[in-house]
Amino acid sequence: MDKIPKKTIQRLIIYRKILNSLIYEGVTNIYSRKLAKMAGCSPEQVRRDLMVIGYSGSPVHGYNVSELEYSIGYLLDQPMGVRLAVVGLGDLGYALLNYCYWQYPNLSTLAAFDENAENRNKVSDICPAYGIDKIKEIVRKESIDLAILTVSSENVQQYADILIESGIKAILNYTPIHIDMPQNVYVEDLDLMLAVDKSAYFAGENDK
Amino acid sequence: MDKIPKKTIQRLIIYRKILNSLIYEGVTNIYSRKLAKMAGCSPEQVRRDLMVIGYSGSPVHGYNVSELEYSIGYLLDQPMGVRLAVVGLGDLGYALLNYCYWQYPNLSTLAAFDENAENRNKVSDICPAYGIDKIKEIVRKESIDLAILTVSSENVQQYADILIESGIKAILNYTPIHIDMPQNVYVEDLDLMLAVDKSAYFAGENDK
DNA sequence: CTTTGTGAATTCGTTCACAGCA
DNA sequence: TGCTGTGAACGAATTCACAAAG
């Protein structure tokens, strides 16, 4: 199977979430038109995206909700799960750690890191927490795949470098600083405040 | 001036932030190559983006950092500022409200809404806080441009509809539910957890 | 040489338009 | 007549490639 575009993956994740809530509501079938409306894209786009996972609907009943959810999950989920560590336990790091631990059965939350011992204590009922100097050792030993980075702006690249040396596969960077990466490591920059600037711009733009 | 692509706006915001930190460090000139590296894109892209704002650099010294920052700001900032309200004062809403209030001189944080009186009290030193039923009245009276939506999943579309009726120009939607919009309102869907799913997928993808 | 500015080419993503099906 | 699946057309965004300048 050849590589699936990032945009498609992102929408598949959205469809899946919608399908899960439909399952919860007891809906059994859905048309591309409806799914598109709920996801915020066009029906053609939905059908295109579903082509790549090879699941076919019926022109009469549309798509079977639970079968489709299963097919998307089969594509998206790593069969062995994903091994997660959180680096930085401020408010955001703490919230994300909790959320991942409770809401993502496919993620194993295996370690947290913070230089502050008080912060480390807050998470002791969820996973072991270590000082920053232990990152390389633990990430290697636990073969962590994914790190969530929420340290406070300074030395971001340094933390990233340590994670890369330790063999991390992906970094979710909640820091406002872009990190430079070798090809084979996936980085998602996710500056929360960027969206504020953008919205502020577009709030004014429509006036003309 | 014709319409600038969204992607370009987003990158200009990133460049600007970088330029500001360069100003702080006392750097006076920068080449597209360096700026691109810091922003995580290609030098050609930087030059293209800067074309749209009409600022020219010199082949010898590159771009003047503070002049360029000024030019970008001139394009991005609404001269009259942007009037902001926060709807939903959970942990995230509270954090964003504070951050916007202290870090964004161009945003006026004018109102907050939450159905819970305790949550409302937390922000009393920053801006007036009202019950949900007051949204329409206050948004109209204060001519709010931008709303940050962080309510808890249920009835998201309902809140959005009220905001739209009240004449809002843009909504920053931190809820995991997509909201359906008329053309002339800008909506930025920003599901924080989407990035977790995406990174988890790409953490495994590189194995092959 | 190195770097900017920019047409031209290319790649990527979306939408159109229609065949095939019950 | 609805709908799905998909080749073809289109449009947007990125990269290539090179002239101009010190």
Side-chain angles (χ1 to χ4, degrees), chain A residues 8-78:
Chain A
T8 298
I9 294 292
Q10 167 145 353
R11 281 188 301 261
L12 287 171
I13 293 167
I14 294 171
Y15 303 153
R16 186 193 198 182
K17 199 177 302 194
I18 293 169
L19 291 167
N20 274 313
S21 71
L22 291 172
I23 288 171
Y24 182 78
E25 290 167 23
V27 178
T28 57
N29 297 91
I30 191 164
Y31 296 110
S32 60
R33 172 200 296 269
K34 178 84 183 301
L35 186 51
K37 178 121 177 159
M38 296 180 79
C41 59
S42 72
E44 297 88 344
Q45 191 134 62
V46 169
R47 298 205 294 274
R48 275 264 170 240
D49 289 337
L50 299 189
M51 276 177 68
V52 315
I53 63 169
Y55 181 77
S56 283
S58 126
V60 181
H61 301 111
Y63 303 95
N64 178 296
V65 171
S66 60
E67 282 176 25
L68 180 54
E69 194 282 332
Y70 178 82
S71 296
I72 295 177
Y74 182 78
L75 177 96
L76 291 180
D77 286 338
Q78 301 305 324

Side-chain angles (χ1 to χ4, degrees), chain B residues 162-182:
Chain B
I162 296 173
L163 287 165
I164 295 160
E165 278 180 61
S166 317
I168 205 89
K169 309 242 187 63
I171 298 177
L172 186 39
N173 175 27
Y174 279 89
T175 284
I177 313 287
H178 167 73
I179 47 189
D180 218 21
M181 276 301 130

